[in-house]
Amino acid sequence: MANARVWLITGASRGLGRAFTEAALAGGDRVVAAARNVGPLEELTEKYPDHLVPLSLDVADRQGVFDGVERAAAAFGRLDVVVNNAGGMLYGMVEEATEEQIRASMDVNFFGAVWVAQAVLPHLRAQGGGRLLQVTSMGSGGGMATVGFYGAGKAALDSVSEALAMEVEGFGVKVTNVQMGGYNTGLFTAGTTTTEPLARYQPLRTEMEAMWGDAVGPEPETAAPVIMELAALPDPPRRLIVGSQSFDHVMEMGRARTDLYRSWEHLSRIAPG
């Protein structure tokens, strides 16, 4: 297809990344599908031999990311849409997490996405534009017990991506924070690292587990049409919540936060700053 776009999608072997990859290929586009383990992509590679290039990539390895992006750009001669989707869950209380666990979580959820953005920007700028979709979370606007470090990584990515959007818009590069709802991606199973539980937090842990419940979120492919339409918009938003229920939850959290600020406005206004 003459107007086929070239995508680079990280975390492409499962979950949302796999769904986005399949949607782009079905639409006639070409995809460089990056993942630490590209084995699950073999079936897609056989189905789309001229449109899919699997790329073994660990986003936590900065030099590996820069080298990988060079291979990705060379695969089809350009990059049009970059989806920073790779991520992982660190599940547990803040006090329970080890330094190694915390740093590994941030390496994937924040630093990895930053390395990809830094590596692709010279290519997007040189060709006069492109799309950078930063997959964050509908919960990145506030912390929640047991998933605080996941939220922290996504919140940091939200913030730096807002700055990045301002910095690169003049080069024709459009950046959107894609704030995903709770989809059935395997994030809480295959993508999860769990802390060693401390007994003192068991009552809260039980409460949180009851709140999460056993309900399974929508399948990832139901989110793919949103991403496809977003990538095609001539003037995309800098933030987009993906998911009807998630949209309602975020709006309610925003109202609750505004109410909280208002209830303590008298204390805030004591200071002149």
Side-chain angles (χ1 to χ4, degrees), residues 10-32:
T10 67
S13 63
R14 61 178 177 84
L16 291 167
R18 174 67 176 244
F20 301 159
T21 298
E22 291 180 353
L25 291 169
D29 290 342
R30 293 168 290 181
V31 181
V32 178

Side-chain angles (χ1 to χ4, degrees), residues 91-172:
Y91 184 80
M93 307 297 176
V94 170
E95 185 182 354
E96 295 169 347
T98 66
E99 178 181 356
E100 181 181 11
Q101 288 174 328
I102 296 167
R103 291 185 181 277
S105 177
M106 296 300 286
D107 275 345
V108 174
N109 293 325
F110 175 66
F111 288 111
V114 172
W115 306 153
V116 171
Q118 288 183 332
V120 302
L121 280 172
H123 295 278
L124 302 184
R125 191 171 58 246
Q127 68 193 27
R131 303 298 173 86
L132 181 57
L133 307 184
Q134 307 281 69
V135 176
T136 63
S137 169
M138 54 82 71
S140 60
M144 184 168 290
T146 68
V147 292
F149 288 109
Y150 178 78
K154 294 301 188 180
L157 182 57
D158 261 350
S159 182
V160 80
S161 297
E162 287 265 2
L164 180 63
M166 295 175 64
E167 294 167 358
V168 301
E169 188 172 28
F171 303 118

